[in-house]
Short mmCIF file of all heavy atoms in Angstrom, two decimals:
data_model
loop_
_atom_site.label_atom_id
_atom_site.label_comp_id
_atom_site.label_asym_id
_atom_site.label_seq_id
_atom_site.Cartn_x
_atom_site.Cartn_y
_atom_site.Cartn_z
N ILE A 127 0.29 -6.10 2.89
CA ILE A 127 -0.55 -5.34 1.96
C ILE A 127 -0.14 -5.64 0.52
O ILE A 127 -0.99 -5.86 -0.33
CB ILE A 127 -0.47 -3.83 2.26
CG1 ILE A 127 -1.11 -3.52 3.61
CG2 ILE A 127 -1.17 -3.04 1.16
CD1 ILE A 127 -0.94 -2.10 4.07
N ALA A 128 1.17 -5.65 0.27
CA ALA A 128 1.64 -5.89 -1.10
C ALA A 128 1.18 -7.24 -1.60
O ALA A 128 0.72 -7.36 -2.75
CB ALA A 128 3.16 -5.77 -1.15
N THR A 129 1.27 -8.27 -0.76
CA THR A 129 0.85 -9.61 -1.16
C THR A 129 -0.64 -9.63 -1.45
O THR A 129 -1.07 -10.20 -2.46
CB THR A 129 1.19 -10.63 -0.06
OG1 THR A 129 2.60 -10.60 0.15
CG2 THR A 129 0.76 -12.02 -0.44
N MET A 130 -1.44 -9.01 -0.60
CA MET A 130 -2.88 -8.98 -0.82
C MET A 130 -3.20 -8.29 -2.15
O MET A 130 -4.04 -8.77 -2.91
CB MET A 130 -3.59 -8.24 0.32
CG MET A 130 -5.10 -8.21 0.15
SD MET A 130 -5.96 -7.26 1.40
CE MET A 130 -5.81 -5.63 0.72
N LEU A 131 -2.52 -7.19 -2.45
CA LEU A 131 -2.77 -6.47 -3.70
C LEU A 131 -2.34 -7.30 -4.90
O LEU A 131 -3.04 -7.33 -5.92
CB LEU A 131 -2.05 -5.13 -3.69
CG LEU A 131 -2.54 -4.13 -2.65
CD1 LEU A 131 -1.69 -2.87 -2.68
CD2 LEU A 131 -4.01 -3.80 -2.83
N ARG A 132 -1.19 -7.96 -4.80
CA ARG A 132 -0.72 -8.80 -5.91
C ARG A 132 -1.67 -9.96 -6.19
O ARG A 132 -1.89 -10.33 -7.33
CB ARG A 132 0.68 -9.34 -5.62
CG ARG A 132 1.78 -8.34 -5.88
CD ARG A 132 3.14 -8.99 -5.89
NE ARG A 132 3.50 -9.66 -4.64
CZ ARG A 132 4.01 -9.05 -3.58
NH1 ARG A 132 4.24 -7.76 -3.59
NH2 ARG A 132 4.30 -9.73 -2.48
N GLU A 133 -2.23 -10.55 -5.13
CA GLU A 133 -3.09 -11.72 -5.29
C GLU A 133 -4.55 -11.37 -5.55
O GLU A 133 -5.35 -12.24 -5.87
CB GLU A 133 -2.98 -12.59 -4.03
CG GLU A 133 -1.60 -13.20 -3.87
CD GLU A 133 -1.44 -13.98 -2.57
OE1 GLU A 133 -2.38 -13.96 -1.72
OE2 GLU A 133 -0.38 -14.59 -2.39
N HIS A 134 -4.90 -10.10 -5.45
CA HIS A 134 -6.29 -9.67 -5.63
C HIS A 134 -6.71 -9.87 -7.09
O HIS A 134 -6.04 -9.42 -8.01
CB HIS A 134 -6.44 -8.20 -5.23
CG HIS A 134 -7.84 -7.71 -5.31
ND1 HIS A 134 -8.83 -8.17 -4.47
CD2 HIS A 134 -8.41 -6.79 -6.11
CE1 HIS A 134 -9.95 -7.55 -4.76
NE2 HIS A 134 -9.73 -6.71 -5.75
N ASP A 135 -7.83 -10.59 -7.30
CA ASP A 135 -8.31 -10.87 -8.65
C ASP A 135 -9.15 -9.74 -9.23
O ASP A 135 -9.33 -9.67 -10.44
CB ASP A 135 -9.15 -12.16 -8.66
CG ASP A 135 -8.29 -13.40 -8.47
OD1 ASP A 135 -7.11 -13.35 -8.85
OD2 ASP A 135 -8.80 -14.39 -7.92
N GLY A 136 -9.69 -8.89 -8.37
CA GLY A 136 -10.55 -7.81 -8.85
C GLY A 136 -9.76 -6.59 -9.27
O GLY A 136 -8.54 -6.60 -9.39
N ARG A 137 -10.50 -5.53 -9.48
CA ARG A 137 -9.89 -4.27 -9.90
C ARG A 137 -9.22 -3.57 -8.74
O ARG A 137 -9.70 -3.60 -7.61
CB ARG A 137 -10.95 -3.33 -10.47
CG ARG A 137 -11.52 -3.79 -11.77
CD ARG A 137 -12.46 -2.76 -12.30
NE ARG A 137 -12.98 -3.19 -13.58
CZ ARG A 137 -13.76 -2.46 -14.33
NH1 ARG A 137 -14.12 -1.26 -13.93
NH2 ARG A 137 -14.18 -2.92 -15.47
N LEU A 138 -8.12 -2.90 -9.06
CA LEU A 138 -7.47 -1.98 -8.12
C LEU A 138 -7.66 -0.59 -8.70
O LEU A 138 -7.33 -0.34 -9.86
CB LEU A 138 -5.98 -2.29 -7.99
CG LEU A 138 -5.61 -3.66 -7.44
CD1 LEU A 138 -4.09 -3.83 -7.44
CD2 LEU A 138 -6.16 -3.86 -6.05
N ASN A 139 -8.20 0.30 -7.91
CA ASN A 139 -8.40 1.69 -8.32
C ASN A 139 -7.48 2.57 -7.47
O ASN A 139 -7.33 2.34 -6.27
CB ASN A 139 -9.86 2.09 -8.11
CG ASN A 139 -10.79 1.20 -8.90
OD1 ASN A 139 -10.89 1.33 -10.10
ND2 ASN A 139 -11.44 0.27 -8.22
N PHE A 140 -6.89 3.56 -8.11
CA PHE A 140 -5.91 4.38 -7.43
C PHE A 140 -6.33 5.85 -7.44
O PHE A 140 -7.02 6.30 -8.35
CB PHE A 140 -4.55 4.25 -8.12
CG PHE A 140 -4.01 2.84 -8.10
CD1 PHE A 140 -4.27 1.98 -9.15
CD2 PHE A 140 -3.28 2.38 -7.02
CE1 PHE A 140 -3.79 0.68 -9.14
CE2 PHE A 140 -2.80 1.08 -6.99
CZ PHE A 140 -3.06 0.23 -8.05
N ALA A 141 -5.87 6.56 -6.43
CA ALA A 141 -6.10 8.00 -6.35
C ALA A 141 -4.80 8.66 -5.89
O ALA A 141 -3.99 8.04 -5.19
CB ALA A 141 -7.23 8.32 -5.37
N THR A 142 -4.61 9.89 -6.31
CA THR A 142 -3.45 10.66 -5.87
C THR A 142 -3.92 12.01 -5.34
O THR A 142 -4.99 12.50 -5.70
CB THR A 142 -2.45 10.92 -7.03
OG1 THR A 142 -3.10 11.68 -8.03
CG2 THR A 142 -1.94 9.63 -7.60
N ASP A 143 -3.13 12.58 -4.49
CA ASP A 143 -3.35 13.93 -4.01
C ASP A 143 -1.98 14.58 -3.87
O ASP A 143 -1.04 13.92 -3.39
CB ASP A 143 -4.09 13.93 -2.67
CG ASP A 143 -4.53 15.33 -2.26
OD1 ASP A 143 -4.57 16.23 -3.12
OD2 ASP A 143 -4.83 15.52 -1.07
N ALA A 144 -1.86 15.79 -4.30
CA ALA A 144 -0.59 16.49 -4.22
C ALA A 144 -0.81 17.84 -3.54
O ALA A 144 -1.85 18.47 -3.71
CB ALA A 144 -0.01 16.70 -5.62
N TRP A 145 0.17 18.26 -2.75
CA TRP A 145 0.07 19.54 -2.08
C TRP A 145 1.45 20.07 -1.75
O TRP A 145 2.43 19.33 -1.76
CB TRP A 145 -0.77 19.43 -0.80
CG TRP A 145 -0.14 18.62 0.28
CD1 TRP A 145 0.61 19.08 1.32
CD2 TRP A 145 -0.17 17.19 0.43
NE1 TRP A 145 1.04 18.04 2.11
CE2 TRP A 145 0.59 16.87 1.59
CE3 TRP A 145 -0.74 16.16 -0.30
CZ2 TRP A 145 0.76 15.57 2.02
CZ3 TRP A 145 -0.56 14.87 0.13
CH2 TRP A 145 0.17 14.58 1.28
N SER A 146 1.51 21.35 -1.49
CA SER A 146 2.75 22.00 -1.07
C SER A 146 2.52 22.67 0.27
O SER A 146 1.46 23.26 0.50
CB SER A 146 3.19 23.05 -2.08
OG SER A 146 3.51 22.45 -3.30
N LEU A 147 3.51 22.59 1.14
CA LEU A 147 3.46 23.27 2.43
C LEU A 147 3.88 24.73 2.25
O LEU A 147 4.46 25.09 1.23
CB LEU A 147 4.41 22.57 3.40
CG LEU A 147 4.08 21.12 3.74
CD1 LEU A 147 5.16 20.53 4.64
CD2 LEU A 147 2.73 21.01 4.40
N PRO A 148 3.58 25.57 3.23
CA PRO A 148 3.99 26.97 3.11
C PRO A 148 5.51 27.14 2.91
O PRO A 148 5.94 28.13 2.33
CB PRO A 148 3.54 27.58 4.44
CG PRO A 148 2.42 26.71 4.89
CD PRO A 148 2.77 25.34 4.41
N ASN A 149 6.30 26.17 3.36
CA ASN A 149 7.75 26.25 3.16
C ASN A 149 8.17 25.69 1.80
O ASN A 149 9.35 25.42 1.57
CB ASN A 149 8.50 25.55 4.29
CG ASN A 149 8.19 24.07 4.37
OD1 ASN A 149 7.46 23.54 3.54
ND2 ASN A 149 8.74 23.41 5.37
N HIS A 150 7.19 25.48 0.90
CA HIS A 150 7.41 25.05 -0.49
C HIS A 150 7.85 23.59 -0.63
O HIS A 150 8.31 23.19 -1.70
CB HIS A 150 8.40 25.97 -1.21
CG HIS A 150 7.97 27.40 -1.19
ND1 HIS A 150 6.91 27.86 -1.93
CD2 HIS A 150 8.44 28.45 -0.48
CE1 HIS A 150 6.74 29.14 -1.69
NE2 HIS A 150 7.66 29.53 -0.81
N LYS A 151 7.72 22.78 0.40
CA LYS A 151 7.97 21.34 0.26
C LYS A 151 6.72 20.71 -0.33
O LYS A 151 5.61 20.97 0.11
CB LYS A 151 8.32 20.71 1.60
CG LYS A 151 9.66 21.18 2.13
CD LYS A 151 10.01 20.50 3.42
CE LYS A 151 11.36 21.02 3.91
NZ LYS A 151 11.73 20.45 5.18
N ALA A 152 6.92 19.87 -1.34
CA ALA A 152 5.80 19.26 -2.06
C ALA A 152 5.71 17.77 -1.74
O ALA A 152 6.72 17.10 -1.58
CB ALA A 152 5.96 19.47 -3.56
N PHE A 153 4.47 17.27 -1.66
CA PHE A 153 4.21 15.87 -1.35
C PHE A 153 3.14 15.32 -2.28
O PHE A 153 2.28 16.06 -2.76
CB PHE A 153 3.73 15.72 0.09
CG PHE A 153 4.75 16.11 1.11
CD1 PHE A 153 4.84 17.42 1.55
CD2 PHE A 153 5.64 15.18 1.62
CE1 PHE A 153 5.79 17.79 2.49
CE2 PHE A 153 6.60 15.54 2.55
CZ PHE A 153 6.67 16.85 2.99
N ILE A 154 3.20 14.01 -2.49
CA ILE A 154 2.17 13.30 -3.24
C ILE A 154 1.75 12.10 -2.41
O ILE A 154 2.59 11.32 -1.96
CB ILE A 154 2.70 12.82 -4.60
CG1 ILE A 154 3.18 14.00 -5.45
CG2 ILE A 154 1.64 12.03 -5.34
CD1 ILE A 154 3.97 13.58 -6.68
N ALA A 155 0.45 11.95 -2.20
CA ALA A 155 -0.09 10.77 -1.51
C ALA A 155 -0.74 9.87 -2.56
O ALA A 155 -1.41 10.36 -3.47
CB ALA A 155 -1.12 11.18 -0.47
N LEU A 156 -0.52 8.56 -2.41
CA LEU A 156 -1.10 7.59 -3.33
C LEU A 156 -1.92 6.58 -2.53
O LEU A 156 -1.43 6.03 -1.55
CB LEU A 156 0.00 6.87 -4.10
CG LEU A 156 0.84 7.83 -4.93
CD1 LEU A 156 2.29 7.69 -4.56
CD2 LEU A 156 0.62 7.56 -6.38
N SER A 157 -3.15 6.37 -2.96
CA SER A 157 -4.02 5.41 -2.26
C SER A 157 -4.58 4.40 -3.25
O SER A 157 -4.66 4.65 -4.45
CB SER A 157 -5.16 6.14 -1.55
OG SER A 157 -5.96 6.84 -2.47
N VAL A 158 -4.95 3.24 -2.72
CA VAL A 158 -5.58 2.19 -3.51
C VAL A 158 -6.96 1.92 -2.92
O VAL A 158 -7.16 1.99 -1.71
CB VAL A 158 -4.71 0.89 -3.54
CG1 VAL A 158 -4.56 0.29 -2.16
CG2 VAL A 158 -5.28 -0.13 -4.52
N HIS A 159 -7.90 1.63 -3.81
CA HIS A 159 -9.29 1.36 -3.42
C HIS A 159 -9.73 0.08 -4.12
O HIS A 159 -9.50 -0.09 -5.31
CB HIS A 159 -10.18 2.53 -3.84
CG HIS A 159 -9.66 3.84 -3.33
ND1 HIS A 159 -10.16 4.43 -2.20
CD2 HIS A 159 -8.66 4.65 -3.77
CE1 HIS A 159 -9.49 5.56 -1.97
NE2 HIS A 159 -8.58 5.71 -2.92
N LEU A 160 -10.32 -0.83 -3.34
CA LEU A 160 -10.72 -2.12 -3.89
C LEU A 160 -11.84 -2.71 -3.05
O LEU A 160 -12.18 -2.19 -1.99
CB LEU A 160 -9.53 -3.09 -3.91
CG LEU A 160 -8.91 -3.41 -2.55
CD1 LEU A 160 -8.78 -4.91 -2.39
CD2 LEU A 160 -7.55 -2.75 -2.43
N GLU A 161 -12.39 -3.78 -3.57
CA GLU A 161 -13.38 -4.54 -2.81
C GLU A 161 -12.76 -5.89 -2.47
O GLU A 161 -12.29 -6.60 -3.35
CB GLU A 161 -14.64 -4.73 -3.65
CG GLU A 161 -15.78 -5.34 -2.87
CD GLU A 161 -17.05 -5.40 -3.68
OE1 GLU A 161 -17.50 -4.35 -4.16
OE2 GLU A 161 -17.56 -6.52 -3.84
N HIS A 162 -12.73 -6.21 -1.17
CA HIS A 162 -12.14 -7.46 -0.70
C HIS A 162 -13.19 -8.21 0.11
O HIS A 162 -13.67 -7.71 1.12
CB HIS A 162 -10.90 -7.16 0.15
CG HIS A 162 -10.19 -8.37 0.64
ND1 HIS A 162 -9.50 -9.21 -0.21
CD2 HIS A 162 -10.06 -8.90 1.88
CE1 HIS A 162 -8.98 -10.19 0.49
NE2 HIS A 162 -9.30 -10.03 1.76
N ASN A 163 -13.58 -9.40 -0.37
CA ASN A 163 -14.63 -10.19 0.29
C ASN A 163 -15.91 -9.38 0.47
O ASN A 163 -16.56 -9.45 1.50
CB ASN A 163 -14.14 -10.74 1.63
CG ASN A 163 -13.01 -11.72 1.47
OD1 ASN A 163 -12.93 -12.44 0.47
ND2 ASN A 163 -12.12 -11.76 2.44
N GLY A 164 -16.25 -8.59 -0.54
CA GLY A 164 -17.47 -7.79 -0.51
C GLY A 164 -17.38 -6.51 0.30
O GLY A 164 -18.37 -5.80 0.42
N ILE A 165 -16.23 -6.22 0.84
CA ILE A 165 -16.07 -5.02 1.69
C ILE A 165 -15.19 -4.01 0.96
O ILE A 165 -14.07 -4.35 0.55
CB ILE A 165 -15.41 -5.39 3.04
CG1 ILE A 165 -16.30 -6.39 3.77
CG2 ILE A 165 -15.17 -4.15 3.88
CD1 ILE A 165 -15.63 -7.04 4.98
N PRO A 166 -15.67 -2.77 0.79
CA PRO A 166 -14.82 -1.76 0.17
C PRO A 166 -13.67 -1.38 1.10
O PRO A 166 -13.86 -1.21 2.30
CB PRO A 166 -15.75 -0.57 -0.06
CG PRO A 166 -17.02 -0.87 0.62
CD PRO A 166 -16.99 -2.29 1.10
N ILE A 167 -12.48 -1.30 0.53
CA ILE A 167 -11.27 -0.98 1.31
C ILE A 167 -10.53 0.15 0.61
O ILE A 167 -10.41 0.17 -0.62
CB ILE A 167 -10.34 -2.21 1.41
CG1 ILE A 167 -11.02 -3.34 2.17
CG2 ILE A 167 -9.01 -1.84 2.06
CD1 ILE A 167 -10.23 -4.62 2.19
N ALA A 168 -10.03 1.09 1.40
CA ALA A 168 -9.16 2.15 0.89
C ALA A 168 -7.93 2.20 1.79
O ALA A 168 -8.05 2.16 3.02
CB ALA A 168 -9.89 3.49 0.92
N MET A 169 -6.76 2.25 1.17
CA MET A 169 -5.50 2.29 1.93
C MET A 169 -4.55 3.30 1.32
O MET A 169 -4.43 3.37 0.09
CB MET A 169 -4.82 0.92 1.91
CG MET A 169 -5.58 -0.17 2.61
SD MET A 169 -4.72 -1.75 2.50
CE MET A 169 -5.27 -2.29 0.88
N ILE A 170 -3.85 4.03 2.16
CA ILE A 170 -2.76 4.87 1.69
C ILE A 170 -1.57 3.96 1.42
O ILE A 170 -1.15 3.19 2.29
CB ILE A 170 -2.37 5.93 2.76
CG1 ILE A 170 -3.56 6.84 3.07
CG2 ILE A 170 -1.15 6.73 2.30
CD1 ILE A 170 -3.95 7.76 1.96
N LEU A 171 -1.03 4.02 0.21
CA LEU A 171 0.14 3.21 -0.12
C LEU A 171 1.43 3.93 0.24
O LEU A 171 2.38 3.31 0.71
CB LEU A 171 0.15 2.88 -1.61
CG LEU A 171 -0.96 1.98 -2.10
CD1 LEU A 171 -0.83 1.76 -3.61
CD2 LEU A 171 -0.95 0.65 -1.37
N ASP A 172 1.47 5.24 0.02
CA ASP A 172 2.70 5.97 0.31
C ASP A 172 2.43 7.47 0.26
O ASP A 172 1.49 7.91 -0.41
CB ASP A 172 3.78 5.62 -0.72
CG ASP A 172 5.19 5.84 -0.21
OD1 ASP A 172 5.36 6.43 0.88
OD2 ASP A 172 6.12 5.41 -0.90
N ILE A 173 3.24 8.21 0.97
CA ILE A 173 3.29 9.66 0.86
C ILE A 173 4.73 9.98 0.48
O ILE A 173 5.66 9.65 1.21
CB ILE A 173 2.89 10.36 2.16
CG1 ILE A 173 1.44 10.01 2.49
CG2 ILE A 173 3.07 11.88 2.04
CD1 ILE A 173 0.95 10.56 3.82
N VAL A 174 4.89 10.58 -0.70
CA VAL A 174 6.21 10.79 -1.28
C VAL A 174 6.53 12.28 -1.28
O VAL A 174 5.73 13.09 -1.75
CB VAL A 174 6.24 10.26 -2.73
CG1 VAL A 174 7.59 10.47 -3.36
CG2 VAL A 174 5.82 8.80 -2.78
N LYS A 175 7.70 12.61 -0.76
CA LYS A 175 8.18 13.99 -0.84
C LYS A 175 8.83 14.16 -2.21
O LYS A 175 9.65 13.34 -2.61
CB LYS A 175 9.18 14.29 0.26
CG LYS A 175 9.70 15.70 0.25
CD LYS A 175 10.67 15.93 1.39
CE LYS A 175 11.27 17.32 1.29
NZ LYS A 175 12.31 17.52 2.29
N VAL A 176 8.43 15.18 -2.94
CA VAL A 176 9.01 15.42 -4.26
C VAL A 176 9.82 16.71 -4.24
O VAL A 176 9.46 17.68 -3.58
CB VAL A 176 7.92 15.47 -5.36
CG1 VAL A 176 7.30 14.11 -5.56
CG2 VAL A 176 6.86 16.48 -5.05
N VAL A 177 10.92 16.67 -4.94
CA VAL A 177 11.81 17.82 -4.96
C VAL A 177 11.28 18.89 -5.89
O VAL A 177 11.39 20.08 -5.63
CB VAL A 177 13.24 17.39 -5.40
CG1 VAL A 177 14.21 18.54 -5.31
CG2 VAL A 177 13.72 16.23 -4.55
N GLU A 178 10.65 18.45 -6.97
CA GLU A 178 10.13 19.38 -7.97
C GLU A 178 8.67 19.70 -7.67
O GLU A 178 8.07 19.13 -6.77
CB GLU A 178 10.23 18.75 -9.36
CG GLU A 178 11.62 18.26 -9.70
CD GLU A 178 11.59 17.38 -10.93
OE1 GLU A 178 10.78 17.64 -11.84
OE2 GLU A 178 12.37 16.43 -10.98
N SER A 179 8.11 20.58 -8.48
CA SER A 179 6.68 20.85 -8.35
C SER A 179 5.91 19.58 -8.73
O SER A 179 6.45 18.70 -9.39
CB SER A 179 6.27 22.00 -9.27
OG SER A 179 6.41 21.61 -10.62
N HIS A 180 4.65 19.52 -8.33
CA HIS A 180 3.88 18.30 -8.63
C HIS A 180 3.21 18.41 -10.00
O HIS A 180 2.00 18.50 -10.12
CB HIS A 180 2.91 17.95 -7.51
CG HIS A 180 2.26 19.10 -6.84
ND1 HIS A 180 2.76 19.67 -5.70
CD2 HIS A 180 1.16 19.80 -7.15
CE1 HIS A 180 1.98 20.66 -5.33
NE2 HIS A 180 1.01 20.76 -6.19
N SER A 181 4.03 18.36 -11.03
CA SER A 181 3.55 18.36 -12.41
C SER A 181 3.05 16.97 -12.77
O SER A 181 3.24 16.01 -12.01
CB SER A 181 4.68 18.76 -13.36
OG SER A 181 5.68 17.76 -13.37
N GLY A 182 2.45 16.84 -13.92
CA GLY A 182 1.96 15.54 -14.36
C GLY A 182 3.06 14.50 -14.47
O GLY A 182 2.87 13.34 -14.11
N MET A 183 4.23 14.91 -14.95
CA MET A 183 5.34 13.97 -15.08
C MET A 183 5.83 13.49 -13.71
O MET A 183 6.13 12.31 -13.53
CB MET A 183 6.50 14.61 -15.85
CG MET A 183 6.22 14.78 -17.33
SD MET A 183 5.86 13.23 -18.18
CE MET A 183 7.45 12.44 -18.11
N VAL A 184 5.90 14.38 -12.74
CA VAL A 184 6.34 14.02 -11.39
C VAL A 184 5.31 13.09 -10.75
O VAL A 184 5.68 12.11 -10.11
CB VAL A 184 6.59 15.28 -10.54
CG1 VAL A 184 6.85 14.92 -9.09
CG2 VAL A 184 7.75 16.09 -11.11
N LEU A 185 4.02 13.39 -10.92
CA LEU A 185 2.97 12.53 -10.39
C LEU A 185 3.06 11.13 -11.01
O LEU A 185 2.99 10.12 -10.31
CB LEU A 185 1.58 13.10 -10.67
CG LEU A 185 1.16 14.32 -9.87
CD1 LEU A 185 -0.12 14.92 -10.46
CD2 LEU A 185 0.93 13.95 -8.43
N ALA A 186 3.24 11.06 -12.32
CA ALA A 186 3.32 9.78 -13.01
C ALA A 186 4.53 8.97 -12.55
O ALA A 186 4.43 7.76 -12.34
CB ALA A 186 3.37 10.00 -14.52
N GLU A 187 5.67 9.64 -12.38
CA GLU A 187 6.87 8.94 -11.93
C GLU A 187 6.71 8.40 -10.51
O GLU A 187 7.06 7.26 -10.22
CB GLU A 187 8.08 9.88 -12.00
CG GLU A 187 9.38 9.19 -11.67
CD GLU A 187 10.57 10.12 -11.82
OE1 GLU A 187 10.52 11.06 -12.63
OE2 GLU A 187 11.57 9.89 -11.10
N ALA A 188 6.14 9.22 -9.62
CA ALA A 188 5.92 8.77 -8.24
C ALA A 188 4.94 7.60 -8.22
O ALA A 188 5.15 6.61 -7.50
CB ALA A 188 5.39 9.92 -7.40
N PHE A 189 3.88 7.68 -9.02
CA PHE A 189 2.89 6.62 -9.09
C PHE A 189 3.54 5.32 -9.59
O PHE A 189 3.36 4.25 -8.99
CB PHE A 189 1.75 7.05 -10.01
CG PHE A 189 0.66 6.04 -10.17
CD1 PHE A 189 -0.12 5.66 -9.10
CD2 PHE A 189 0.41 5.48 -11.41
CE1 PHE A 189 -1.14 4.73 -9.26
CE2 PHE A 189 -0.60 4.55 -11.57
CZ PHE A 189 -1.37 4.17 -10.49
N ALA A 190 4.32 5.40 -10.66
CA ALA A 190 4.98 4.21 -11.21
C ALA A 190 5.95 3.61 -10.20
O ALA A 190 6.04 2.38 -10.08
CB ALA A 190 5.70 4.58 -12.50
N ASN A 191 6.68 4.44 -9.47
CA ASN A 191 7.62 3.94 -8.47
C ASN A 191 6.92 3.17 -7.36
O ASN A 191 7.39 2.12 -6.93
CB ASN A 191 8.44 5.08 -7.87
CG ASN A 191 9.46 5.63 -8.84
OD1 ASN A 191 9.84 4.98 -9.80
ND2 ASN A 191 9.90 6.86 -8.59
N VAL A 192 5.78 3.68 -6.90
CA VAL A 192 5.03 2.99 -5.84
C VAL A 192 4.48 1.66 -6.37
O VAL A 192 4.55 0.65 -5.67
CB VAL A 192 3.92 3.89 -5.27
CG1 VAL A 192 3.01 3.10 -4.34
CG2 VAL A 192 4.53 5.08 -4.54
N LEU A 193 3.97 1.66 -7.59
CA LEU A 193 3.49 0.40 -8.17
C LEU A 193 4.61 -0.63 -8.23
O LEU A 193 4.41 -1.81 -7.92
CB LEU A 193 2.91 0.63 -9.56
CG LEU A 193 1.62 1.45 -9.64
CD1 LEU A 193 1.18 1.55 -11.11
CD2 LEU A 193 0.52 0.87 -8.79
N ARG A 194 5.80 -0.19 -8.62
CA ARG A 194 6.94 -1.12 -8.67
C ARG A 194 7.33 -1.59 -7.27
O ARG A 194 7.65 -2.76 -7.07
CB ARG A 194 8.13 -0.45 -9.36
CG ARG A 194 8.03 -0.47 -10.87
CD ARG A 194 9.32 -0.05 -11.54
NE ARG A 194 9.65 1.34 -11.31
CZ ARG A 194 9.22 2.36 -12.06
NH1 ARG A 194 8.43 2.13 -13.07
NH2 ARG A 194 9.58 3.60 -11.77
N GLU A 195 7.32 -0.68 -6.29
CA GLU A 195 7.65 -1.05 -4.90
C GLU A 195 6.74 -2.17 -4.40
O GLU A 195 7.19 -3.10 -3.73
CB GLU A 195 7.47 0.15 -3.97
CG GLU A 195 8.68 1.00 -3.76
CD GLU A 195 8.38 2.13 -2.80
OE1 GLU A 195 7.75 1.89 -1.75
OE2 GLU A 195 8.77 3.26 -3.11
N PHE A 196 5.46 -2.06 -4.71
CA PHE A 196 4.48 -3.04 -4.25
C PHE A 196 4.39 -4.23 -5.23
O PHE A 196 3.62 -5.15 -4.99
CB PHE A 196 3.10 -2.39 -4.09
CG PHE A 196 2.96 -1.62 -2.81
CD1 PHE A 196 3.42 -0.31 -2.70
CD2 PHE A 196 2.36 -2.18 -1.70
CE1 PHE A 196 3.29 0.41 -1.53
CE2 PHE A 196 2.22 -1.48 -0.52
CZ PHE A 196 2.70 -0.19 -0.44
N ARG A 197 5.15 -4.17 -6.30
CA ARG A 197 5.16 -5.19 -7.34
C ARG A 197 3.76 -5.46 -7.89
O ARG A 197 3.35 -6.60 -8.10
CB ARG A 197 5.82 -6.48 -6.85
CG ARG A 197 7.27 -6.27 -6.51
CD ARG A 197 8.05 -7.52 -6.24
NE ARG A 197 7.26 -8.63 -5.76
CZ ARG A 197 7.62 -9.46 -4.80
NH1 ARG A 197 8.76 -9.30 -4.20
NH2 ARG A 197 6.85 -10.46 -4.43
N ILE A 198 3.07 -4.36 -8.14
CA ILE A 198 1.73 -4.46 -8.75
C ILE A 198 1.69 -3.66 -10.06
O ILE A 198 0.62 -3.32 -10.54
CB ILE A 198 0.61 -3.98 -7.78
CG1 ILE A 198 0.90 -2.57 -7.25
CG2 ILE A 198 0.43 -4.98 -6.64
CD1 ILE A 198 -0.23 -1.99 -6.40
N ASP A 199 2.84 -3.38 -10.63
CA ASP A 199 2.90 -2.59 -11.85
C ASP A 199 2.41 -3.36 -13.07
O ASP A 199 2.22 -2.78 -14.14
CB ASP A 199 4.31 -2.05 -12.10
CG ASP A 199 5.40 -3.10 -12.02
OD1 ASP A 199 5.28 -4.01 -11.17
OD2 ASP A 199 6.34 -3.03 -12.81
N ASP A 200 2.14 -4.66 -12.93
CA ASP A 200 1.62 -5.44 -14.04
C ASP A 200 0.12 -5.68 -13.93
O ASP A 200 -0.45 -6.41 -14.72
CB ASP A 200 2.34 -6.79 -14.10
CG ASP A 200 2.13 -7.63 -12.86
OD1 ASP A 200 1.72 -7.08 -11.82
OD2 ASP A 200 2.39 -8.85 -12.92
N LYS A 201 -0.55 -5.07 -12.98
CA LYS A 201 -1.99 -5.29 -12.78
C LYS A 201 -2.81 -4.41 -13.69
O LYS A 201 -2.49 -3.37 -14.02
CB LYS A 201 -2.36 -5.04 -11.33
CG LYS A 201 -1.68 -6.07 -10.46
CD LYS A 201 -2.39 -6.58 -9.32
CE LYS A 201 -3.56 -7.29 -9.26
NZ LYS A 201 -3.99 -8.49 -9.06
#
């Protein structure tokens, strides 16, 4: 997946979702959406457990970390 995303010439669009469980554990899901050979594709890149609340700064840090993991932070 990482190689396909790095080599993709088109746009990569991202979405996030954050939620907390009743036991106060917080998670952030990150997905990528693109068109590959004329076919729309959506993939979950990661689901990250966060220690803090899902504030904007925590969302941004988790997002940046996943982009670096997939080595697509320069796209």
